Amino acid sequence: IDGALKQINIGATPQEIDTLLDTAYTDYCIEVAKRKKSPFLLEYIQTKIDFSNVLMMLRVRRMEVDFDLFAAAYDEGGLIDFKTFKKAYSQSDEAVPKFFKNTKYGPKLEKKIEESIQKAQTWIFGKYMDNALTQIVSEYNKNLFSVEPVIGYLVQKENEAKAIRMIMTGKLNNMSQDTIKERLRDIYV
């Protein structure tokens, strides 16, 4: 928070401050996960960071702006390194997904990136990201005497809130029921 306050005082943009706070938060979460020796928390946080970075890259590429915008928002806490994004960013739409095939997430990630690019719809990858995070929680949710069920409950509540927002936004924008259903994420862990 001190860093954000200093940035405000020197005239940083809201986007720069938001990025600074996001990075500080994820760094703290990773530190806690390592200190508590929680493979669940570490996997969840790193996956969320990696997929958020991919989603940001897809959005920035779609805006057809310079890589620097993505670089400023990139979060280093994940497992996909910055070089992979830098190499992929300037490639053709057909080539971009291949850069992510050999990551921890493999061909499934590659396929979802490809689908999002082909259909020019970043919500496709956003849905995949949310469903993948829900899946991680459900895999670890079996140990009743740990933090996993509590986090599972919180993730479930977040997913329910997202679903309500999507439904309400869709209704306000006169979207068809099928379109709204297509965009809804898995809710329960």
Side-chain angles (χ1 to χ4, degrees), residues 1-12 20:
I1 293 181
D2 290 337
L5 290 173
K6 287 177 187 173
Q7 291 296 315
I8 290 170
N9 290 333
I10 63 169
L20 178 71

Side-chain angles (χ1 to χ4, degrees), residues 55-116:
L55 186 58
M56 174 64 69
M57 182 199 68
L58 292 172
R59 288 178 175 157
V60 173
R61 281 186 89 248
R62 189 151 181 239
M63 292 166 45
E64 298 179 358
V65 295
D66 191 57
F67 179 76
D68 292 342
L69 182 62
F70 169 78
Y74 174 78
D75 191 334
E76 295 178 5
L79 299 174
I80 303 175
D81 68 341
F82 183 75
K83 292 176 188 173
T84 302
F85 288 99
K86 187 167 181 131
K87 289 176 188 173
Y89 191 84
S90 61
Q91 300 299 315
S92 68
D93 286 349
E94 295 79 29
V96 169
K98 292 174 181 55
F99 285 88
F100 298 91
K101 184 178 185 177
N102 294 323
T103 65
K104 171 192 172 193
Y105 313 103
K108 200 169 190 178
L109 175 65
E110 176 190 24
K111 181 181 174 199
K112 285 300 174 182
I113 293 171
E114 182 177 357
E115 183 181 353
S116 294

